[in-house]
Amino acid sequence: MTSLPPRTGSLLAICRVHQLISTKTGFGVTAIDKRPAEGPMKFKRFGVFGDAVGDTEHHGGPDQAIYAYSQEDADYWCAELGRPIPAGLFGENLRTRGVETTQAVIGTRWRIGTALLEVTSPRVPCATFAEHMGEPQWVKRFTQAGLIGTYLRVLDHGKAQAGDEIVLEHVPSHGITVGKFFSNPTAQDVRTLQELEALGELTLSKHFYARFPKILAAGAAG
């Protein structure tokens, strides 16, 4: 597989939990209330140092260590909702500009500061997110818009800070983005991802596997 020429963007903010808050859904407490942190921050196997996960059954882990959302997608919601969408409001760890998050190709590698991150999978909106936002039919609206951002795993531990450049060191040629897999996955997408993993060219998030049988079955029926 070949890589496209390196592209760059910028890191606007690194966010981590401000406080755990009670929720009526899921685990009972949530760490979705994230705010920008000051100065250099460490990126480790399970995410931004000092961050937390409330519902560890459905969130977190190495495949969902860091959640990134672009300013471009946030601007859409700012106009749609008529309210500011500050960094961290969606529970994201990274607010970016100039690089794709929703349309990031699965397996793309980002160099930020001394850390190396890898695009893994889309964010799936949940009831806790809806409660946090307080917007009517939020899960449905967020899903239909398809601007879901991306999870990343940490390949190389390191430090980064707001203002750092984001360098796309490797973009796989298969072209399947987290946004496409979230909104319009096909049986061929599944087969392609499975073949690349079997060849050792891609490491899939464990969260994909529960969806594969349904997508393959729908492809066979169609």
Side-chain angles (χ1 to χ4, degrees), residues 7 16 42 125 130:
R7 295 194 293 272
R16 61 181 180 179
K42 295 179 181 178

PDB file of all heavy atoms in Angstrom, residues 7 16 42 125 130:
ATOM      1  N   ARG A   7       0.057  15.624   4.687  1.00  0.00           N
ATOM      2  CA  ARG A   7      -0.768  16.821   4.781  1.00  0.00           C
ATOM      3  C   ARG A   7      -0.739  17.273   6.224  1.00  0.00           C
ATOM      4  O   ARG A   7      -0.454  16.503   7.130  1.00  0.00           O
ATOM      5  CB  ARG A   7      -2.198  16.527   4.328  1.00  0.00           C
ATOM      6  CG  ARG A   7      -2.277  16.152   2.852  1.00  0.00           C
ATOM      7  CD  ARG A   7      -3.719  16.196   2.374  1.00  0.00           C
ATOM      8  NE  ARG A   7      -4.538  15.179   2.975  1.00  0.00           N
ATOM      9  CZ  ARG A   7      -4.680  13.953   2.468  1.00  0.00           C
ATOM     10  NH1 ARG A   7      -4.022  13.609   1.379  1.00  0.00           N
ATOM     11  NH2 ARG A   7      -5.458  13.077   3.058  1.00  0.00           N
ATOM     12  N   ARG A  16      -9.577  17.449  28.501  1.00  0.00           N
ATOM     13  CA  ARG A  16      -9.703  16.308  29.400  1.00  0.00           C
ATOM     14  C   ARG A  16     -10.820  16.601  30.390  1.00  0.00           C
ATOM     15  O   ARG A  16     -11.327  17.733  30.456  1.00  0.00           O
ATOM     16  CB  ARG A  16      -8.387  16.009  30.111  1.00  0.00           C
ATOM     17  CG  ARG A  16      -7.856  17.118  30.984  1.00  0.00           C
ATOM     18  CD  ARG A  16      -6.539  16.705  31.612  1.00  0.00           C
ATOM     19  NE  ARG A  16      -5.992  17.763  32.463  1.00  0.00           N
ATOM     20  CZ  ARG A  16      -4.856  17.648  33.136  1.00  0.00           C
ATOM     21  NH1 ARG A  16      -4.147  16.530  33.062  1.00  0.00           N
ATOM     22  NH2 ARG A  16      -4.422  18.629  33.886  1.00  0.00           N
ATOM     23  N   LYS A  42       0.461  14.775  28.042  1.00  0.00           N
ATOM     24  CA  LYS A  42       0.945  13.462  27.648  1.00  0.00           C
ATOM     25  C   LYS A  42      -0.170  12.652  26.994  1.00  0.00           C
ATOM     26  O   LYS A  42      -1.313  12.652  27.470  1.00  0.00           O
ATOM     27  CB  LYS A  42       1.472  12.699  28.863  1.00  0.00           C
ATOM     28  CG  LYS A  42       2.702  13.300  29.517  1.00  0.00           C
ATOM     29  CD  LYS A  42       3.117  12.461  30.727  1.00  0.00           C
ATOM     30  CE  LYS A  42       4.325  13.048  31.435  1.00  0.00           C
ATOM     31  NZ  LYS A  42       4.697  12.246  32.629  1.00  0.00           N
ATOM     32  N   PRO A 125     -23.096   7.999  18.701  1.00  0.00           N
ATOM     33  CA  PRO A 125     -23.771   8.801  19.732  1.00  0.00           C
ATOM     34  C   PRO A 125     -24.633   7.942  20.648  1.00  0.00           C
ATOM     35  O   PRO A 125     -25.211   6.942  20.212  1.00  0.00           O
ATOM     36  CB  PRO A 125     -24.633   9.766  18.910  1.00  0.00           C
ATOM     37  CG  PRO A 125     -24.869   9.059  17.616  1.00  0.00           C
ATOM     38  CD  PRO A 125     -23.596   8.288  17.351  1.00  0.00           C
ATOM     39  N   ALA A 130     -26.715  12.631  24.446  1.00  0.00           N
ATOM     40  CA  ALA A 130     -27.957  13.378  24.262  1.00  0.00           C
ATOM     41  C   ALA A 130     -28.343  14.137  25.534  1.00  0.00           C
ATOM     42  O   ALA A 130     -28.746  15.309  25.487  1.00  0.00           O
ATOM     43  CB  ALA A 130     -29.075  12.428  23.856  1.00  0.00           C
TER      44      ALA A 130
END
